Amino acid sequence: MQTEIKANMKNVTKRFGEVVAVNNISLDIKEGEFLVLLGPSGSGKTTLLRLLAGLEELTEGDIYIEDTLVNNLPPRHRNIAMVFQNYALYPHMSVFENLAYPLKIRKRSKEEIAKRVREVAEVLEISELFKRRPKQISGGQKQRVALGRAMIRKANLFLMDEPLSNLDAKLRVQMRAELRRLQKSMGTTTVYVTHDQAEAMTLADRVAVLNNGVVQQLDSPEEVYFHPVNRFVAGFVGSPQMNFFAGSYEEAKIKTDYFEYPLPPEVVKKLEKKGKVEKIYFGIRPEDVTVSKIEIEGAYNARIYVSELMGAESFVFFTIGNSVERFLSRTSPDFRGNMDESIWVSFKEDKIHIFDYDTDAAII
Amino acid sequence: MLKSFFKYFFMVIITMFVFFPIVWLVSTSFKNPVDMFAVPPIFVPANPSFDHYATLFFEAGIVKYILNSVIVAVSTTLLSLVAGTLAAYSLARFRLPYRMNERLSFWVLSTRMFPPIVTIIPLFAMMRFFHLLNTRMGLVIAYTAFNLPFVVWMMRGFFMEIPEELEEAAMVDGDSRMSAFRRIILPIAKPGLVATSIFTLILSWNEFLFALILSQTRSAATLPIGVASTVTQYEIKWGEMSAAGVIAVVRVLIFAFVVQKHLVRGMSFGAIKG
Ligand SMILES: Nc1ncnc2c1ncn2[C@@H]1O[C@H](COP(=O)(O)OP(=O)(O)OP(=O)(O)O)[C@@H](O)[C@H]1O
Ligand SMILES: [Mg+2]
């Protein structure tokens, strides 16, 4: 089956007075996909979602849903469903009435409403809650009811704004898995906003990483993680964060304040192709930093700042050379180090990242 | 122990202080003229008389005053509530340029900052121009004008307490702005709506100054004017005045008693998030 475009944004800009919340964004949303908008606070994720929903007016650009220009269409004519961060359940209605509301507005028959509500409630396992008010149910249950209210009708687009952020960590992981299964089994096109990169990685078919109202990268989670297009994406996706070293490129080597790193020939070839490259950032993810207590050929001498046993893994913070800055290695829990102990660190050759110093764009 | 003793002690004192005039009013309304001025004062008349009430109903035609009061108070409340609620909703929700929301709201409130009496002469002139003197309509318009700021401010506060996401959810679910307001926001704001209408009702029920100036004849005069008309050029009809006072107060009391639950709910509004 050919992938169809469900919705489409063309050069969309939204300004609030002086603030540019969304800056000239163009993106396609494919039929049946789970698209995650990922970005730090204030990057314009919510605004983008609200523009899609019609809750915010465009400053510039066009939005199409199912090939219809919806720029001036109020939310009710866009046939979209939305789950809000605080659930926005109607406090004066029972769970049943909340679920039934979208159908009631559409003047469906009583029998049809009851049937549909029961179906949805069964899927979400909230049938016992029908008579309760939103105040009388738990956060996780509210979450399900909000989801159910969105699922009750066949909407073109599902929009979710950080729907899991009010749940505790355990429930969040559980709901995350359920969301994913639900979305796949129903094939609903979903746009999901989050600032939690773990959520983005696990849920998304594609991730759009936003910063300052601009899409930095739109790719599969793997691509975004392993081949970030710039230093922002590299730093934002992945927890704990990627290590960065400022330095320069000279004669097939990366020179930083703390070490010299000889580059493999393929990388050198690529760099030479780019033309003149001087100042750069060298990036390496914590899991690609190996640590050892015995000296290894080509490894750098470092000093443990602190070592934390996380259970399944160990975080080793270290200083290298005379650095004040601390860097991190994520290694096996068998590695136990003491404060100020001398160790040797090395970087996995095929996992290094090099970014342009001035533009932050990825070179490798 | 001592603390709660003091608490109740002061509560009793204050209650007595507040209740005394009402008790005196009620007792006077049942006294015959001799008991009224007896020294030492008589609190419970030995043989209560209903003469004053009879006079009020059969000779002074108090029914007409009551009717005027009811019509004026109810119309005023309805009118101020409809107009005020809509205005309050707009001021609470829509972002106007140049922080106009705040400015407009303050301006609305500022009309309550001067004493009403300073408007009475221009108001009188306007009412005469439009032939609205001595009509209930004239009173309703004047009262509505003076109740609106109160309604707008109360209701704006209530609406601002309601998370905006609720209407947005409703609009995504298929409502227009107006039907979301009607089906989601109004029901949630009901305690506030009830409390505000009670205050408005009591305010217009008890209003005296405007009624005195704008409705001299019995065709429009309200109960407070009826009560005041017992003060005549030659004598003060204490008994009838008290009886009329009792009638005016009793209605408000019963009313307040009935709606007390809503009043308390309206006051403690705000716990509706979630
Ligand atoms: N109604 C508004 N009026 C003025 N500025 C706004 C408004 N809504 C959002 N902004 C601004 O637009 C920018 C983007 O906001 P937005 O809410 O889209 O961010 P976000 O990515 O959803 O952040 P968060 O993760 O904190 O929810 C911010 O700088 C914000 O201050
Ligand atoms: Mg947001």
Side-chain angles (χ1 to χ4, degrees):
Chain A
M1 197 185 83
Q2 209 183 347
T3 48
E4 275 177 54
I5 301 300
K6 193 76 173 180
N8 179 320
M9 304 183 113
K10 282 199 179 121
N11 304 99
V12 167
T13 295
K14 173 68 189 181
R15 276 189 285 270
F16 295 103
E18 298 285 287
V19 183
V20 186
V22 169
N23 193 353
N24 197 21
I25 286 183
S26 298
L27 69 91
D28 290 340
I29 299 159
K30 294 179 194 157
E31 172 96 53
E33 84 168 328
F34 201 120
L35 176 69
V36 171
L37 304 178
L38 175 68
S41 192
S43 57
K45 309 178 296 286
T46 299
T47 308
L48 197 63
L49 204 69
R50 291 169 57 84
L51 285 168
L52 267 173
L55 294 170
E56 218 63 80
E57 252 177 75
L58 282 167
T59 312
E60 280 162 33
D62 291 319
I63 297 179
Y64 295 87
I65 297 178
E66 297 232 298
D67 295 327
T68 314
L69 184 69
V70 296
N71 289 10
N72 297 315
L73 238 45
R76 67 181 187 280
H77 292 142
R78 295 190 182 197
N79 194 20
I80 38 157
M82 188 157 172
V83 178
F84 291 79
Q85 184 170 358
N86 302 315
Y87 318 128
L89 298 179
Y90 310 127
H92 59 301
M93 296 183 190
S94 69
V95 165
F96 184 92
E97 289 166 321
N98 264 283
L99 290 170
Y101 194 71
L103 298 180
K104 213 178 112 193
I105 297 175
R106 287 175 175 71
K107 305 226 158 56
R108 299 289 161 74
S109 74
K110 272 226 169 64
E111 299 80 51
E112 192 192 336
I113 293 178
K115 183 164 157 278
R116 184 81 190 117
V117 169
R118 257 184 274 118
E119 278 169 20
V120 169
E122 209 146 291
V123 175
L124 294 169
E125 295 167 22
I126 45 175
S127 307
E128 317 82 65
L129 307 176
F130 277 170
K131 289 210 183 70
R132 306 237 202 121
R133 290 285 169 101
K135 234 188 266 172
Q136 302 163 326
I137 61 180
S138 74
Q141 291 168 332
K142 278 183 199 164
Q143 172 61 52
R144 282 160 203 267
V145 176
L147 214 59
R149 193 175 61 189
M151 281 163 48
I152 204 91
R153 66 204 156 90
K154 303 272 181 284
N156 275 330
L157 262 184
F158 255 64
L159 309 177
M160 305 195 191
D161 192 357
E162 313 215 12
L164 304 184
S165 63
N166 282 353
L167 304 180
D168 62 58
K170 205 172 146 198
L171 200 54
R172 193 152 54 205
V173 173
Q174 185 190 333
M175 282 302 290
R176 195 167 76 192
E178 282 183 33
L179 259 183
R180 180 68 184 163
R181 281 192 70 85
L182 219 63
Q183 191 269 340
K184 276 291 152 245
S185 66
M186 311 221 316
T188 44
T189 313
T190 305
V191 182
Y192 184 103
V193 162
T194 183
H195 62 257
D196 177 347
Q197 50 94 28
E199 258 172 42
M201 296 297 292
T202 48
L203 286 170
D205 293 318
R206 291 196 303 161
V207 182
V209 184
L210 263 76
N211 192 30
N212 292 329
V214 176
V215 175
Q216 307 287 320
Q217 186 168 6
L218 175 58
D219 257 319
S220 68
E222 294 81 18
E223 275 300 302
V224 167
Y225 190 79
F226 293 112
H227 304 287
V229 297
N230 61 30
R231 206 157 73 86
F232 173 80
V233 176
F236 190 73
V237 180
S239 169
Q241 233 202 18
M242 185 184 276
N243 300 297
F244 292 109
F245 303 87
S248 56
Y249 170 72
E250 282 166 39
E251 296 154 25
K253 272 185 201 152
I254 297 290
K255 276 191 183 156
T256 73
D257 292 349
Y258 318 123
F259 59 82
E260 284 187 10
Y261 188 82
L263 292 169
E266 321 87 79
V267 177
V268 174
K269 224 183 268 169
K270 268 193 210 166
L271 276 174
E272 297 294 335
K273 240 190 252 167
K274 297 262 172 184
K276 203 167 116 289
V277 181
E278 282 170 2
K279 293 184 85 183
I280 53 101
Y281 275 104
F282 177 84
I284 183 90
R285 290 202 185 278
E287 61 264 38
D288 302 324
V289 178
T290 40
V291 291
S292 155
K293 288 199 178 179
I294 45 169
E295 184 164 3
I296 310 175
E297 175 74 39
Y300 310 103
N301 190 239
R303 188 176 292 279
I304 296 181
Y305 182 75
V306 71
S307 157
E308 296 174 339
L309 178 67
M310 307 301 289
E313 57 192 2
S314 234
F315 287 179
V316 182
F317 294 86
F318 59 87
T319 55
I320 184 166
N322 53 355
S323 74
V324 183
E325 226 179 321
R326 261 94 59 182
F327 303 100
L328 175 62
S329 164
R330 195 170 168 178
T331 186
S332 100
D334 302 333
F335 184 93
R336 306 283 167 79
N338 295 317
M339 221 148 75
D340 292 329
E341 203 178 326
S342 175
I343 51 166
W344 276 264
V345 299
S346 53
F347 310 129
K348 288 183 189 159
E349 211 174 66
D350 54 339
K351 295 288 169 61
I352 60 167
H353 299 266
I354 298 172
F355 305 96
D356 190 293
Y357 189 87
D358 299 314
T359 64
D360 277 346
I363 302 171
I364 300 295
Chain B
M1 183 60 201
L2 196 68
K3 223 170 111 185
S4 76
F5 168 78
F6 273 114
K7 198 168 86 186
Y8 285 108
F9 180 75
F10 281 115
M11 272 162 66
V12 167
I13 297 273
I14 289 170
T15 311
M16 277 167 59
F17 186 75
V18 172
F19 254 117
F20 181 77
I22 295 174
V23 170
W24 188 248
L25 186 78
V26 173
S27 106
T28 304
S29 73
F30 290 107
K31 284 177 195 165
N32 57 45
V34 179
D35 287 351
M36 245 178 248
F37 302 102
V39 180
I42 299 169
F43 282 94
V44 181
N47 30 14
S49 103
F50 291 88
D51 288 357
H52 307 307
Y53 289 93
T55 316
L56 278 181
F57 278 98
F58 301 118
E59 286 168 34
I62 194 170
V63 177
K64 179 73 181 168
Y65 291 120
I66 294 177
L67 195 69
N68 285 341
S69 267
V70 169
I71 291 174
V72 169
V74 170
S75 319
T76 301
T77 305
L78 284 180
L79 203 62
S80 341
L81 236 66
V82 171
T85 302
L86 289 172
Y89 181 75
S90 309
L91 287 173
R93 282 295 193 255
F94 300 128
R95 282 190 294 267
L96 303 176
Y98 306 109
R99 294 185 44 239
M100 272 318 239
N101 302 48
E102 296 301 319
R103 287 169 199 207
L104 270 178
S105 307
F106 182 76
W107 177 71
V108 165
L109 188 70
S110 70
T111 59
R112 288 296 289 254
M113 286 179 188
F114 48 82
I117 195 154
V118 303
T119 63
I120 200 74
I121 290 173
L123 198 61
F124 181 84
M126 282 194 278
M127 290 291 174
R128 194 176 52 188
F129 182 83
F130 288 110
H131 300 288
L132 288 170
L133 284 179
N134 295 324
T135 64
R136 291 185 290 235
M137 169 99 98
L139 275 185
V140 169
I141 291 173
Y143 286 2
T144 302
F146 274 81
N147 272 318
L148 262 177
F150 171 73
V151 175
V152 169
W153 264 78
M154 289 279 283
M155 290 316 295
R156 188 172 99 105
F158 288 127
F159 288 142
M160 290 202 306
E161 292 272 321
I162 300 175
E164 206 166 348
E165 288 182 352
L166 289 182
E167 289 117 291
E168 294 182 341
M171 291 196 298
V172 168
D173 281 346
D175 269 326
S176 65
R177 168 72 71 171
M178 200 58 203
S179 65
F181 174 69
R182 201 160 39 79
R183 283 195 280 221
I184 303 292
I185 301 307
L186 273 190
I188 297 173
K190 203 173 96 187
L193 217 54
V194 172
T196 309
S197 51
I198 291 165
F199 287 129
T200 317
L201 207 56
I202 293 178
L203 243 67
S204 3
W205 180 263
N206 286 339
E207 206 287 331
F208 178 70
L209 181 68
F210 282 25
L212 182 68
I213 308 292
L214 299 178
S215 62
Q216 283 294 317
T217 65
R218 279 167 39 86
S219 62
T222 54
L223 198 52
I225 305 304
V227 176
S229 68
T230 56
V231 181
T232 65
Q233 198 172 355
Y234 304 105
E235 59 163 345
I236 298 173
K237 299 175 184 162
W238 289 107
E240 278 145 45
M241 182 196 269
S242 309
V246 168
I247 290 169
V249 170
V250 157
R251 296 184 56 98
V252 177
L253 272 183
I254 292 173
F255 178 68
F257 204 72
V258 170
V259 296
Q260 192 189 29
K261 195 184 76 186
H262 293 286
L263 263 181
V264 176
R265 286 244 311 269
M267 297 302 203
S268 62
F269 196 68
I272 50 106
K273 288 186 189 140

